[in-house]
Amino acid sequence: VLKQNGNPISVYQFNDEILYKPLKDKAITNYTPSIETFSFDGYIREALKIKDVASGKDVISLADLALLCDFEKLALCQTDDELDSMNAVVLKRLTILWNDAALFTDDFSQFKRFKTEFSDDKNLKLCTYNVQRKGFEQYFYGAAIFKESPTTVKVYELEDKTNKIRSPERATTSNEKWLGAIYLDIIDVSIKGKTYYTLLGYNGHDEFTKSRVIDVMYLQGNRLVFGHPIFRTDRLTRHRMIYEYSAGTTMMLQYDANLKMIVMDNLEPSESFYTGVYRFYGPDFSYNAFEFVKNEWVFIRDIDLRNPKLPNR
């Protein structure tokens, strides 16, 4: 309970697990909580820190107590109208955090159902989350935050327009016309001295199918651009790769830093007559990959992950 002049002004309740390893010869430790209050655009932000006195480290660092609770309220909404109203509050509070350069290095890991990734060059912070409406409709939200200086950031809020993007594997889009996804990894690559951020993402499509996406994002002046023709498969070059498969299964898609490849399950229909009907697609226990060669991600079919140095190209 946070009090002002003896009167409670905010009440928050949540729990979190802390993995604690006592220091040598110390059976217990002391934790010191502190709350710092900020005001911006009519919103009060209360940041919570809980410090381990013995080690001097923060065991909990939470940028906004109210937002933690708002995310939980969002998950409990029963109607689409309630979701929209609560999500507007969440987005407003997130916008305040995204625009605070002092919070650029904060991964916001205390917020559940929310994903933050950083680029290897430490210039990009990418935040994404999703809201599921009735009928399993998925809508995605987020922001790409670029560090311009130690005290300034540039924020590009992402507007999910998935249903309005025609031929998405060949489309160039923007943050205002975004193919929505929750991003799980960022891979920095350089093309002619310019940084392109390859993004590995997930989209819970509907009740029958899910999809994985490999996208690419870069700055063109002051514009944020998604999609670029750098994914080469056989004789075709695509702006991004999209893999749709059954909602009842999972697909492995990840970057292997040792191999310097994006590796993935190969997807096939359960029966040949289901070809093109993606609700019946799933992994067939073989693997493919993309390797970055001469400014392109080049597709490699049927790699042996046990002996990846000898891929069958």
Side-chain angles (χ1 to χ4, degrees):
V1 180
L2 184 66
K3 295 183 178 181
Q4 188 174 59
N5 299 324
N7 299 313
I9 58 174
S10 302
V11 179
Y12 305 102
Q13 180 175 331
F14 71 99
N15 60 53
D16 205 346
E17 276 192 11
I18 301 170
L19 294 176
Y20 168 62
K21 183 178 180 180
L23 297 176
K24 188 177 180 180
D25 301 327
K26 291 184 181 293
I28 60 172
T29 189
N30 292 320
Y31 295 114
T32 302
S34 63
I35 291 179
E36 190 172 1
T37 302
F38 305 85
S39 179
F40 181 82
D41 198 21
Y43 284 77
I44 300 296
R45 177 167 72 88
E46 293 157 344
L48 169 69
K49 287 186 182 293
I50 298 180
K51 188 180 293 292
D52 179 348
V53 175
S55 68
K57 296 180 179 179
D58 291 334
V59 294
I60 288 181
S61 180
L62 181 60
D64 189 346
L65 275 165
L67 181 57
L68 178 74
C69 299
D70 289 341
F71 264 118
E72 295 305 313
K73 292 176 186 176
L74 189 62
L76 297 174
C77 289
Q78 298 296 311
T79 68
D80 288 349
D81 287 343
E82 289 177 357
L83 276 172
D84 290 341
S85 178
M86 193 69 245
N87 191 52
V89 175
V90 167
L91 273 174
K92 179 61 179 179
R93 300 196 76 96
L94 279 171
T95 300
I96 294 170
L97 301 187
W98 290 334
N99 282 277
D100 188 340
L103 295 175
F104 180 80
T105 58
D106 193 324
D107 64 3
F108 302 141
S109 59
Q110 297 295 328
F111 301 133
K112 311 304 180 188
R113 308 175 186 90
F114 186 86
K115 187 67 176 172
T116 301
E117 292 291 333
F118 292 92
S119 61
D120 289 339
D121 64 12
K122 306 303 181 185
N123 290 327
L124 167 65
K125 175 179 180 177
L126 195 53
C127 301
T128 48
Y129 72 100
N130 73 306
V131 171
Q132 180 174 293
R133 291 189 172 92
K134 296 297 182 182
F136 289 87
E137 283 187 290
Q138 303 285 335
Y139 291 86
F140 294 82
Y141 303 89
I145 305 119
F146 286 87
K147 184 178 181 180
E148 295 188 320
S149 76
T151 58
T152 60
V153 292
K154 175 70 174 178
V155 178
Y156 296 87
E157 294 193 39
L158 306 177
E159 299 180 29
D160 185 356
K161 299 291 177 64
T162 299
N163 295 332
K164 296 183 178 181
I165 301 173
R166 296 182 180 181
S167 304
E169 289 193 334
R170 299 197 301 269
T172 299
T173 65
S174 69
N175 59 299
E176 297 175 345
K177 192 177 181 181
W178 171 53
L179 187 78
I182 294 176
Y183 294 123
L184 307 175
D185 202 357
I186 304 173
I187 308 153
D188 301 17
V189 296
S190 179
I191 301 175
K192 297 179 181 179
K194 184 181 181 69
T195 300
Y196 289 76
Y197 300 101
T198 303
L199 313 174
L200 305 186
Y202 166 81
N203 183 319
H205 199 63
D206 56 33
E207 60 184 313
F208 301 113
T209 65
K210 299 182 287 191
S211 60
R212 296 275 185 174
V213 60
I214 311 175
D215 210 334
V216 61
M217 181 184 75
Y218 60 98
L219 285 172
Q220 188 72 47
N222 290 323
R223 294 176 56 246
L224 186 64
V225 181
F226 286 86
H228 197 65
I230 59 171
F231 300 99
R232 181 156 60 85
T233 59
D234 300 323
R235 297 181 180 180
L236 297 177
T237 301
R238 295 177 172 87
H239 286 64
R240 62 179 57 80
M241 301 300 302
I242 300 172
Y243 300 93
E244 191 173 357
Y245 55 97
S246 169
T249 189
T250 59
M251 178 190 179
M252 182 271 290
L253 174 68
Q254 64 189 41
Y255 182 67
D256 190 310
N258 292 323
L259 302 178
K260 296 184 179 179
M261 292 181 182
I262 300 169
V263 296
M264 70 200 77
D265 284 314
N266 186 64
L267 301 176
E268 292 290 344
S270 56
E271 300 287 347
S272 60
F273 51 79
Y274 287 133
T275 299
V277 185
Y278 295 107
R279 62 186 292 185
F280 296 106
Y281 273 61
D284 68 353
F285 305 105
S286 65
Y287 307 96
N288 305 320
F290 277 98
E291 183 179 13
F292 196 70
V293 180
K294 296 181 180 179
N295 299 332
E296 290 183 313
W297 285 106
V298 179
F299 184 70
I300 305 172
R301 189 182 302 278
D302 193 21
I303 67 167
D304 184 351
L305 291 181
R306 296 166 300 179
N307 187 20
K309 293 182 179 181
L310 297 172
N312 178 11
R313 295 174 186 267

